[in-house]
Amino acid sequence: MYGVLLITHLLAAIAFIGTLFFEVFIWHAARRPLSQAVREGVDQAIAQRSRHVLHGVVLVLYGAGIALAWQHRGALSQPLSNSFGLLLSLKILLALSIVGHYVWLAYWLKSGRLTPSRACWLRRSILGHMVLIVVLAKAMFYWQF
């Protein structure tokens, strides 16, 4: 079961990071030469589709992540006793920070305060957090074996 959880978590992480990578590095630059009307229409379509897909991806990602962390709860009880527990704890903190970003996004959306620059900043920050999580994950399993 652990292997299935690990692969599921990995594939969901790839989907999540890939979507953010596309939005930050590809779409953000590709939309510049488009007219305002076209840009707004495509932005809206991509955002709607992205939200639809990412809700499921994030549920799978966090669900599998929680199940995997549960398997290593002993290492989490004393995170400073070994590098694996410390790195896993840092991953969890970064993952919780990403949840915080989405709470912040929801607040900005609801209050009408979401500006294009804030949305761009949030995407970049979440992508940065995800890249750090991937690096920590690689380090965890490098030092585990």
Side-chain angles (χ1 to χ4, degrees), residues 9-122:
H9 187 64
L10 177 64
L11 293 174
I14 290 168
F16 187 56
I17 293 169
T19 302
L20 285 171
F21 182 88
F22 169 79
E23 289 178 0
V24 170
F25 290 108
I26 297 172
W27 177 241
H28 186 71
R31 66 193 289 277
R32 287 185 191 132
L34 302 175
S35 70
Q36 182 70 20
V38 170
R39 191 178 333 150
E40 287 175 3
V42 177
D43 277 346
Q44 189 175 14
I46 288 175
Q48 183 179 2
R49 183 65 184 154
S50 181
R51 278 192 303 270
H52 179 75
V53 170
L54 283 184
H55 285 146
V57 168
V58 167
L59 285 174
V60 170
L61 177 65
Y62 277 81
I66 290 167
L68 288 167
W70 182 255
Q71 302 286 326
H72 297 286
R73 61 191 175 275
L76 288 171
S77 66
Q78 296 179 340
L80 298 177
S81 65
N82 61 52
S83 60
F84 184 87
L86 177 63
L87 296 173
L88 181 56
S89 297
L90 290 173
K91 274 184 62 177
I92 291 169
L93 285 174
L94 287 169
L96 291 173
S97 176
I98 291 170
V99 171
H101 279 70
Y102 280 105
V103 170
W104 206 354
L105 173 64
Y107 169 74
W108 279 342
L109 280 170
K110 188 171 181 140
S111 66
R113 295 180 175 171
L114 184 64
T115 63
S117 63
R118 283 181 173 173
C120 184
W121 178 85
L122 275 173

